[in-house]
Amino acid sequence: MAEEAQAPPPTTVAEEAQAPPQLVLLNSMTKTKEPFQPRVEGKVSMYVCGVTPYDFSHIGHARAYVAFDVLYRYLKFLGYEVEYVRNFTDIDDKIIKRANERGETVTSLSSRFINEFLLDMTELQCLPPTHEPRVTDHIEHIIELITKIMENGKAYAMEGDVYFSVDSFPEYLSLSGRKLDQNQAGARVAFDTRKRNPADFALWKAAKEGEPFWDSPWGRGRPGWHIECSAMSAHYLGHVFDIHGGGKDLIFPHHENELAQSRAAYPDSEVKCWMHNGFVNKDDKKMAKSDNNFFTIRDIIALYHPMALRFFLMRTHYRSDVNHSDKALEIASDRVYYIYQTLYDCEEVLAVYREEGISVPVPAEEQKVIGEHHKNFLKDMSDDLKTTDVLDGFMNLLKAINSNLTDLKQQKQQQSQKQPADHIQALIALEAELKHKLSILGLMPPCSLAEVLKQLKEKSLTRAGLTEEELQELIEQRNVARKNKQFEVSDGIRRKLATKGIALMDEPTGTVWRPCELES
């Protein structure tokens, strides 16, 4: 289970005095940033379109669910009670085709990949939503909604199929801003000459030979793609709710059709704020299973720590496209290693002093650093979740921690008469601020810092194609070369390892290594 984003008490008086600014979110409907005002004070209702589980999820999926997990966590931090719904489309043409190819049932295939998806989300520390409904558990609600749409004269039945009539809904395309002559059937919708308008889309599909089906007033069949989310969002959140999210590829046709269906059935239906995240691109083209140009989440976390992948995805603002590259993942991995190593060094030093009950105040310099960081964190997160700026902002805290660690170490070496209490109190406050904000973002590891550093090092060895034993053998060869003053040989070993993402550091106690960005 992913850890909960808890908000510990404010670290300092400077923090305590700063209330979060008004949260502002970009509404895809109006194309403008708007102050977020939930329908019910203190409560937020949020629906995010989930996966179609017929294969392992790719990092485009990770992009969406990390983005909305950040929003979920921040809303919780702000004190809202959030009802978060994320569905599974567990009946679909692709699932049926894949199940037939593998000789298994649709339920078996979809359930297996739902479980795999949930494991991926746990690895990425995405908090579980309040509800995770499956389409097949809501057929009754889907049939009721279609019936209501038909009663209102907005849909028609033909030979067991039911189509939504876009001509009956003047607001159609108000979300995407498209023109009717641009309108084409969605990728999952085959052209059907029986339709009154080529743009009409299926609410119910008549059963084909060998396909799963449910009984309905129009005969045996199954839901169309779009109707499911209208039915499930209404069931869990009501006809009016605060936030509807998903990838920007869903604006048309999926969300456009959702909006039309919901209002055709219940004219008062409304989503207060539509939100859409950008793609993950490979070679400047959207990563997608259908184009076979994708990396699964499993592919990435076999080589990089899940926290490095989460950091990489958060380094780009949620509305912008992310350009996938090994270099960017290396940088993210190096950054999270630096963060966790700094926190680990801080924990090791503070372990000696935590029980001493130091009563001196936090020094003014660190008070200022913490206060500024807290203020900027709130400002950036409340301005449509500017995670890029938030992650860059951690550098000042990290520098302050390392500066205090260095000063404390030098005091010990010089046997200074000056008391270390000021540095200790500064470190305690800086550490609390950093861990608090990392936790809000889902970037505090679920295990100990020592364990996560070990995991990061193991991943770097995998990328380098080395075992720990092989690396130690190279380090020993270098030590022998240095002892024999063969500096060209020793420097060559060091440079070779640096090109594989392994940095060597010569300490008084011997040579140690850490992951680093690849040197060319």
Side-chain angles (χ1 to χ4, degrees):
M1 183 67 71
E3 46 86 22
E4 287 285 343
Q6 298 295 330
T11 307
T12 67
V13 174
E15 276 196 89
E16 204 166 39
Q18 296 172 26
Q22 169 70 56
L23 175 61
V24 174
L25 300 173
L26 192 288
N27 186 346
S28 301
M29 174 66 83
T30 62
K31 314 295 188 294
T32 59
K33 289 183 182 180
E34 299 173 351
F36 176 68
Q37 297 290 351
R39 290 177 56 251
V40 179
E41 187 175 349
K43 296 186 177 183
V44 176
S45 47
M46 179 168 77
Y47 188 95
V48 175
C49 289
V51 295
T52 301
Y54 69 97
D55 203 342
F56 290 104
S57 295
H58 58 66
I59 62 169
H61 296 128
R63 168 75 166 139
Y65 304 122
V66 167
F68 286 102
D69 181 66
V70 170
L71 174 60
Y72 183 34
R73 287 170 173 273
Y74 191 60
L75 288 168
K76 286 161 71 78
F77 161 71
L78 293 176
Y80 290 111
E81 180 185 329
V82 186
E83 191 164 10
Y84 175 18
V85 183
R86 186 183 67 208
N87 74 295
F88 290 108
T89 299
D90 63 338
I91 182 69
D92 177 88
D93 291 340
K94 293 176 181 177
I95 298 175
I96 294 169
K97 182 174 182 287
R98 184 65 57 86
N100 289 338
E101 289 170 353
R102 297 193 176 187
E104 63 180 308
T105 66
V106 165
T107 301
S108 167
L109 180 86
S110 61
S111 294
R112 179 154 49 85
F113 283 115
I114 284 171
N115 291 335
E116 298 293 355
F117 170 82
L118 293 174
L119 289 174
D120 288 342
M121 292 301 100
T122 299
E123 288 279 14
L124 290 171
Q125 293 203 154
C126 292
L127 298 174
T130 319
H131 308 284
E132 295 182 281
R134 304 186 187 197
V135 172
T136 54
D137 291 333
H138 291 274
I139 302 297
E140 176 188 349
H141 300 115
I142 290 169
I143 291 172
E144 287 175 359
L145 186 61
I146 296 172
T147 301
K148 184 70 173 173
I149 295 170
M150 293 189 74
E151 287 173 354
N152 291 348
K154 308 291 186 183
Y156 55 94
M158 294 186 67
E159 301 172 11
D161 294 317
V162 179
Y163 291 103
F164 184 89
S165 171
V166 299
D167 292 331
S168 71
F169 190 72
E171 297 174 60
Y172 192 60
L173 302 181
S174 60
L175 176 62
S176 63
R178 294 165 66 97
K179 304 297 182 187
L180 272 173
D181 57 6
Q182 293 178 295
N183 196 23
Q184 299 173 355
R188 305 189 189 197
V189 184
F191 181 71
D192 187 339
T193 56
R194 299 173 304 157
K195 295 192 287 187
R196 296 174 184 173
N197 182 322
D200 292 349
F201 54 89
L203 302 178
W204 187 261
K205 296 181 176 184
K208 295 176 183 174
E209 186 67 31
E211 288 186 352
F213 63 82
W214 288 263
D215 290 322
S216 80
W218 319 284
R220 291 177 168 179
R222 57 187 174 87
W225 173 31
H226 315 294
I227 193 67
E228 61 188 50
C229 289
S230 288
M232 289 186 288
S233 62
H235 176 72
Y236 288 98
L237 303 176
H239 298 301
V240 182
F241 57 93
D242 295 310
I243 297 170
H244 194 320
K248 67 181 181 182
D249 54 328
L250 297 182
I251 295 174
F252 181 86
H254 187 50
H255 288 167
E256 193 73 76
N257 292 353
E258 266 192 72
L259 188 156
Q261 295 160 165
S262 297
R263 286 191 175 164
Y266 299 95
D268 63 337
S269 291
E270 185 182 5
V271 171
K272 294 294 186 180
C273 181
W274 291 89
M275 296 179 66
H276 295 92
N277 64 273
F279 301 140
V280 177
N281 292 334
K282 180 177 180 287
D283 301 325
D284 296 320
K285 186 178 180 183
K286 174 181 172 264
M287 197 175 288
K289 290 179 183 176
S290 55
D291 292 326
N292 199 32
N293 71 334
F294 68 94
F295 295 99
T296 67
I297 297 170
R298 301 290 171 89
D299 292 335
I300 301 298
I301 63 176
L303 295 172
Y304 298 92
H305 196 278
M307 289 297 91
L309 175 53
R310 185 178 176 101
F311 190 99
F312 161 74
L313 294 169
M314 291 170 61
R315 278 285 298 148
T316 302
H317 187 263
Y318 79 89
R319 286 190 281 111
S320 301
D321 291 352
V322 175
N323 289 308
H324 169 271
S325 71
D326 291 341
K327 176 69 173 174
L329 282 163
E330 291 281 352
I331 292 170
S333 184
D334 190 61
R335 185 71 66 87
V336 296
Y337 188 91
Y338 173 56
I339 291 170
Y340 298 148
Q341 183 66 61
T342 300
L343 280 173
Y344 176 77
D345 293 343
C346 187
E347 278 191 355
E348 288 289 285
V349 168
L350 291 179
V352 181
Y353 298 96
R354 285 193 196 276
E355 303 302 319
E356 294 189 5
I358 296 171
S359 58
V360 300
V362 177
E365 184 180 349
E366 281 74 23
Q367 282 268 15
K368 183 178 178 183
V369 169
I370 291 166
E372 284 294 312
H373 181 265
H374 181 70
K375 180 182 73 175
N376 289 333
F377 177 90
L378 297 177
K379 175 177 66 72
D380 292 332
M381 287 297 290
S382 292
D383 184 8
D384 200 32
L385 309 176
K386 286 186 175 177
T387 53
T388 306
D389 294 342
V390 167
L391 296 180
D392 287 343
F394 285 130
M395 291 306 295
N396 288 336
L397 288 180
L398 293 162
K399 287 175 183 174
I401 289 172
N402 281 313
S403 175
N404 275 277
L405 288 171
T406 300
D407 289 348
L408 195 59
K409 185 177 180 181
Q410 288 175 348
Q411 280 186 3
K412 283 186 176 181
Q413 290 172 343
Q414 295 166 5
Q415 295 183 329
S416 170
Q417 297 300 309
K418 184 179 178 181
Q419 296 299 312
D422 286 343
H423 294 304
I424 298 303
Q425 196 73 312
L427 287 169
I428 290 171
L430 289 163
E431 178 200 51
E433 171 68 4
L434 181 55
K435 285 185 174 180
H436 179 198
K437 299 308 191 290
L438 288 171
S439 178
I440 293 168
L441 298 177
L443 285 170
M444 271 305 292
C447 56
S448 69
L449 291 167
E451 180 62 26
V452 77
L453 289 169
K454 179 171 177 262
Q455 292 167 356
L456 282 158
K457 293 179 84 170
E458 287 169 352
K459 297 289 186 186
S460 71
L461 287 173
T462 300
R463 296 195 298 277
L466 292 169
T467 65
E468 179 75 40
E469 292 74 21
E470 289 168 339
L471 175 58
Q472 291 303 328
E473 187 176 322
L474 286 168
I475 290 173
E476 184 54 35
Q477 288 175 16
R478 178 173 172 272
N479 287 339
V480 170
R482 291 177 72 208
K483 186 175 181 181
N484 294 333
K485 302 192 184 319
Q486 297 172 310
F487 299 118
E488 194 172 319
V489 173
S490 66
D491 288 346
I493 293 172
R494 185 174 199 159
R495 282 195 302 271
K496 182 181 177 182
L497 287 173
T499 65
K500 292 177 176 286
I502 305 291
L504 300 184
M505 280 125 356
D506 298 313
E507 305 282 352
T509 54
T511 301
V512 296
W513 71 275
R514 58 150 287 173
C516 68
E517 291 180 43
L518 296 178
E519 288 188 13
S520 55

